[in-house]
Amino acid sequence: AGAPPPGSAAAGLQWLLGPATSVADFRAEVFERRPLHVRRAASGGAAHYAGLGDLATPGALFALLDRGEVPVHRLNVFRCRDGATKETPRRPPASASDVRRLFKAGWSIQWLQPQQEHAGLAQLVSQLESEFGCLVGVNAYLTPPGAQGLAPHWDDVEVFVLQLSGEKAWSLHASTSASALPPEAQALPRQTSGDLPLESLSPPLLHPKLAPGDLLYLPRGVIHHAPNRSTERPSVHLTISAFQQQTLFDLAAKTFEESMAQAWDRDIILRKALPWCALSPMTSDYPRVCAALAAQLQRLADDARAEASAA
């Protein structure tokens, strides 16, 4: 069948990036290193996401809710009143009319996994999973005029933001004083941050204003928040997320867990209790326990090298 045309969503990451940045350059110079804002006002703007246009308005979601094609339990509703404190409704929405009412009252909507209702978006996800070699997720965010949905936070995934309609004013920060880690140790975290106080954030790295058709890439760990400053138009954007717990740390932890489980079954020595008080450095057994642990880790390392040689 050949490769998909570069101007179609089936082209995956290259379609997201556009012609100015190749996938090879993205991997070498941008990925996990710095945010990237791709502006498309001069090259068609919202037309770039024309194939996703039926996701680009709040009315599109409401219509799917009315027809029962999207269950209400796949929606989260929240708002951020002071720019830093996220709130949720006392009663979660139970119907399409509840969702409409809350959106009209200034509550933002998070629509989980909209690719389940959109074949073109599902095709894009499938292509990206093939390129990245990991699971890819999507959420849609619908923000009313003059509102902000989420407080400042960082994510544990690589994020690609697709602005479908309206505008969003983003603020990006490298670190926070609310973390116990120094700023240089906060990059590429393994877990999400939770809500962060505005006054704890480092000076902004960027203030990208996303217009329809734009793309924003955020490495995991970049703190971000994004109000809709328009008093007239809602904002709709997609976030495509990837590489959750896809690090060497995670691979090593999983490999260790599985290898030790196999070793447990075949080696009774591993099932015997440690010598009494063996973990106290002052005992005569402590050096022997450390040596036995080192030998076990060496066996695991030898198994990994053998696997690499056989691949």
Side-chain angles (χ1 to χ4, degrees), residues 122-208:
Q123 184 182 28
L124 173 61
V125 168
S126 177
Q127 174 62 25
L128 291 174
E129 288 182 338
S130 177
E131 292 184 66
F132 294 154
C134 66
L135 293 176
V136 170
V138 185
N139 292 325
Y141 291 87
L142 297 78
T143 308
Q148 179 177 333
L150 295 172
H153 67 283
W154 73 60
D155 294 310
D156 61 346
V157 288
E158 308 296 312
V159 175
F160 299 84
V161 179
L162 287 63
Q163 188 71 31
L164 301 187
S165 66
E167 296 181 342
K168 270 290 186 76
W170 291 70
S171 293
L172 311 181
H173 308 260
S175 63
T176 171
S177 61
S179 172
L181 296 173
E184 64 272 13
Q186 293 179 33
L188 303 179
R190 191 165 183 267
Q191 298 176 329
T192 57
S193 67
D195 297 347
L196 298 171
L198 281 170
E199 63 273 13
S200 76
L201 305 183
S202 62
L205 294 169
L206 289 174
H207 277 305

Side-chain angles (χ1 to χ4, degrees), residues 260 262-275 288-289 291-293 295-296 299:
M260 289 304 296
Q262 295 172 9
W264 173 272
D265 292 337
R266 67 173 182 260
D267 192 346
I268 194 171
I269 295 299
L270 294 175
R271 304 199 294 271
K272 288 182 173 291
L274 295 173
R288 288 195 291 272
V289 169
L293 175 60
Q296 185 61 45
R299 282 194 288 272

